[in-house]
Amino acid sequence: MEKLKIGAGACGFHCIKVKDFSVRAGTTMLLEHINLHIHCGRLTVIIGRNGAGKSTLIKAMLGEIRHEGTIEFRDIKQNAIRRLQIGYVPQYLNIDKNTPASVYDMFAAYISKIPVCLYQSKRVYKQVKERLSLFAAQDLIDRQVGDLSGGELQRVLLSIACTPVPNLLLLDEPVSGIDRNGIELFYKNIEMLKRNYDLAMILVSHDLEFVEKYADYVILLDKTIIREGTPDKVLSSREFKEVFGSSKTAWVG
Amino acid sequence: MNFMKYDFMRNGFLAILLIAPLFGILGTMIVNNKLAFFSDALGHSAFTGVAIGVLLHIADTNLTMAVFAIIFALLLNAIKRKDSLSTDTIISVFSSFSTAIGLVILSLGGQFSKYSALLVGDILSISKKEIILLLLVFLATLLFWGFCFNRLEAASLNISLAKSKGVPVTTIESIFAVFIALIVMFSIKWVGILLINALLILPAASARNIAGNMREYHLFSILISLFSGLLGLVLSYFLNTATGPTIVIIASVFFFLTLLAKPLVKS
């Protein structure tokens, strides 16, 4: 097996195995026989054309759509099966622009039981601010969610998904709406997570340029895994050229 | 306060003190979750509920209305989750179908005029016993809000994210749908099928225009609802107009005022 770099914060002793995932809609197969081996401290990026089943795979791993196959989370050191905690960063929120929810309201709704419609708890406020500050988003706490830019919203969602820090973080990257600085900052945050925490990450990405720069492992998906490996290997493969043509950057999926 | 010497005015006053904040609170999440069509359809299903009661010779049509509305709400929720059709289409089909069934049954033998009061409602006809029931529903809603609001809000922002955080989304949404069903059925006699949705939606829709967070949203919605309700009651007494529509006009004026104020508040 190829030698892969592992984040400094990871113990390297946890592994997550996706075994034989398949998803069907009626008689059509959306995903077939997906087998993944994911290590903590590693950023695995899923790429593929539109409709290749990238988001479907994420939804199946979240247990939100019916699928065949299992996920196993193993502690190699103690050879024990553990309960897998999954964090999720969605592509977008299902809200109107004028939804009267502040970042505090949104955050507290996911991590606290004190009703946000009744009052703002000082303790929770402090906690939310602390978590946001990990991702350079502490100044957004009183802003209205609908007013955030794509990049700001992504940072807030990232900190919600990481409170508490999960074993596996699933990220569905927005197709558009985030500027270059936002994307850079996002990947910086991912690197920070890799450095400081013991977690595995799977990112559905639409930006191949950044994939090449930041991914540890790349999976090229087209209903099933048609190629996987280190970024340079996958991005120079025949299968990759068949899916994307020869251009790496002029593509949005 | 001269007009308070009448029993019906006192009861109407008490009823509005309960219904208005109740609708103000409930409306916030109905608007947030884009359920305005849903609550409207529920209102229309009241006809079918009454009709079933009449068919089965059940004296208390409140009961059949409530049972039918709950089934209707849960069924609608289940079909919505399958999302193969667009939600507003499904809801329109359900709504028209149940309204038509109700009207056909109730109009058998030319009896419909007996039930036409249901269309407009009459808040002044509320009895002491019904006010106490309303109080109980109000308290139940407060409890639900107190214990489940964050989960409801979490689900309304993003279902997948809520599920990944362990929120029992389906259960919470079903309970909320049952609450809407019960409250709509319970107030329809006093508010009327035609206007009940306006009273549920308008205060929250106005509050959204000027609120920046959930606390302001609830506070403004309750205040606007309460103010429109009380002013509407008093005005309808002096102008000798129907109370429900008078309240709706005042609430609508609030909506347009907040819409105008929006750029000032949010800048």
Side-chain angles (χ1 to χ4, degrees):
Chain A
M1 207 182 132
E2 312 156 69
K3 182 89 183 139
L4 292 156
K5 50 177 177 173
I6 284 187
C11 65
F13 289 113
H14 292 124
C15 78
I16 298 159
K17 274 185 181 155
V18 172
K19 288 182 173 168
D20 208 22
F21 257 47
S22 293
V23 175
R24 63 180 87 227
T27 50
T28 4
M29 296 301 287
L30 299 178
L31 284 179
E32 272 180 298
H33 307 299
I34 307 284
N35 286 289
L36 291 173
H37 194 151
I38 308 148
H39 278 284
C40 54
R42 224 164 77 176
L43 175 64
T44 303
V45 177
I46 302 175
I47 56 172
R49 63 176 176 82
N50 234 341
K54 300 179 301 262
S55 293
T56 307
L57 179 57
I58 296 282
K59 289 248 159 83
M61 291 184 75
L62 278 169
E64 216 182 289
I65 48 178
R66 283 172 66 114
H67 59 83
E68 291 156 34
T70 51
I71 301 187
E72 187 186 280
F73 178 47
R74 191 178 278 278
D75 187 325
I76 303 174
K77 212 174 184 178
Q78 295 168 0
N79 199 24
I81 305 277
R82 294 276 176 80
R83 212 180 82 82
L84 178 66
Q85 293 237 341
I86 300 182
Y88 173 59
V89 178
Q91 245 185 1
Y92 53 83
L93 290 175
N94 176 34
I95 57 164
D96 294 337
K97 203 178 161 356
N98 73 340
T99 296
S102 64
V103 168
Y104 166 86
D105 293 336
M106 171 160 85
F107 210 125
Y110 289 105
I111 63 158
S112 151
K113 290 226 161 77
I114 301 167
V116 293
C117 59
L118 198 61
Y119 97 118
Q120 188 166 287
S121 146
K122 281 213 177 72
R123 186 181 54 78
V124 179
Y125 190 85
K126 209 173 139 238
Q127 191 196 352
V128 167
K129 200 155 191 167
E130 258 172 44
R131 299 307 298 185
L132 286 169
S133 68
L134 288 176
F135 301 92
Q138 68 279 10
D139 296 337
L140 304 173
I141 189 162
D142 293 319
R143 292 268 298 280
Q144 213 170 316
V145 176
D147 292 338
L148 299 181
S149 74
E152 289 170 334
L153 179 62
Q154 200 182 32
R155 291 206 291 285
V156 171
L157 291 171
L158 193 58
S159 42
I160 292 176
C162 291
T163 309
V165 178
N167 309 115
L168 172 64
L169 185 60
L170 301 176
L171 306 119
D172 208 344
E173 192 179 59
V175 178
S176 58
I178 300 184
D179 57 30
R180 260 199 94 77
N181 284 338
I183 300 176
E184 285 284 1
L185 194 47
F186 174 70
Y187 282 97
K188 290 258 150 59
N189 279 324
I190 298 282
E191 295 271 286
M192 183 279 291
L193 279 172
K194 262 203 306 196
R195 249 193 337 270
N196 300 324
Y197 298 95
D198 182 23
L199 86 168
M201 286 174 278
I202 296 182
L203 168 70
V204 169
S205 180
H206 310 276
D207 198 318
L208 297 171
E209 188 193 336
F210 286 92
V211 171
E212 198 167 16
K213 202 164 152 193
Y214 290 100
D216 298 313
Y217 198 76
V218 177
I219 286 166
L220 179 58
L221 195 73
D222 194 2
K223 291 207 167 112
T224 189
I225 298 176
I226 55 174
R227 184 82 206 208
E228 60 182 311
T230 52
D232 50 325
K233 269 208 173 136
V234 174
L235 270 63
S236 59
S237 68
R238 184 175 51 81
E239 291 85 351
F240 179 84
K241 290 199 181 82
E242 278 168 18
V243 173
F244 294 114
S246 50
S247 155
K248 277 179 195 168
T249 46
W251 167 77
V252 178
Chain B
M1 298 278 262
N2 181 16
F3 54 87
M4 277 303 189
K5 66 176 185 254
Y6 300 107
D7 251 0
F8 64 84
M9 278 304 276
R10 270 202 300 273
N11 286 347
F13 183 77
L14 279 177
I16 283 175
L17 281 184
L18 288 171
I19 289 180
L22 186 59
F23 280 24
I25 293 172
L26 211 60
T28 57
M29 288 316 271
I30 291 180
V31 178
N32 246 16
N33 289 3
K34 306 187 176 83
L35 290 174
F37 267 141
F38 176 79
S39 53
D40 196 43
L42 270 174
H44 287 95
S45 79
F47 274 131
T48 324
V50 174
I52 291 172
V54 172
L55 269 188
L56 299 177
H57 301 290
I58 294 169
D60 188 359
T61 47
N62 273 337
L63 191 70
T64 51
M65 261 162 72
V67 172
F68 180 75
I70 289 173
I71 295 171
F72 185 82
L74 293 177
L75 198 65
L76 211 57
N77 244 6
I79 292 178
K80 216 174 70 183
R81 235 170 267 129
K82 297 251 180 237
D83 79 357
S84 49
L85 273 167
S86 112
T87 309
D88 35 346
T89 311
I90 296 171
I91 292 177
S92 290
V93 171
F94 264 69
S95 169
S96 336
F97 186 49
S98 72
T99 309
I101 290 182
L103 291 178
V104 163
I105 299 173
L106 292 180
S107 62
L108 273 176
Q111 293 285 299
F112 184 70
S113 56
K114 241 166 71 185
Y115 305 101
S116 60
L118 214 51
L119 281 172
V120 189
D122 183 6
I123 192 114
L124 301 180
S125 69
I126 198 165
S127 70
K128 280 252 159 58
K129 199 178 128 208
E130 287 167 326
I131 291 176
I132 290 168
L133 267 169
L134 203 56
L135 180 66
L136 292 177
V137 174
F138 185 50
L139 293 177
T141 309
L142 289 185
L143 280 179
F144 175 60
W145 237 243
F147 284 108
C148 299
F149 181 79
N150 281 9
R151 281 175 266 188
L152 196 60
E153 167 70 2
S156 105
L157 289 165
N158 187 292
I159 289 178
S160 309
L161 179 57
K163 280 186 178 163
S164 80
K165 289 278 180 197
V167 175
V169 172
T170 315
T171 314
I172 290 284
E173 285 189 334
S174 300
I175 297 175
F176 184 46
V178 168
F179 260 95
I180 302 176
L182 281 178
I183 289 167
V184 165
M185 286 310 128
F186 206 71
S187 3
I188 211 140
K189 267 204 295 189
W190 311 308
V191 181
I193 288 172
L194 290 176
L195 292 175
I196 190 153
N197 211 41
L199 291 180
L200 271 172
I201 305 303
L202 279 170
S206 315
R208 275 169 103 70
N209 285 336
I210 48 174
N213 60 47
M214 279 293 151
R215 292 158 296 290
E216 289 175 8
Y217 187 25
H218 279 74
L219 181 69
F220 294 156
S221 180
I222 293 169
L223 288 179
I224 291 172
S225 185
L226 207 52
F227 186 80
S228 314
L230 293 176
L231 186 63
L233 178 71
V234 174
L235 277 182
S236 69
Y237 173 83
F238 286 111
L239 301 173
N240 202 15
T241 51
T243 311
T246 314
I247 296 174
V248 171
I249 290 174
I250 295 166
S252 306
V253 170
F254 263 109
F255 178 78
F256 292 116
L257 286 178
T258 54
L259 200 61
L260 288 175
K262 190 176 172 180
L264 301 173
V265 180
K266 298 242 160 135
S267 64

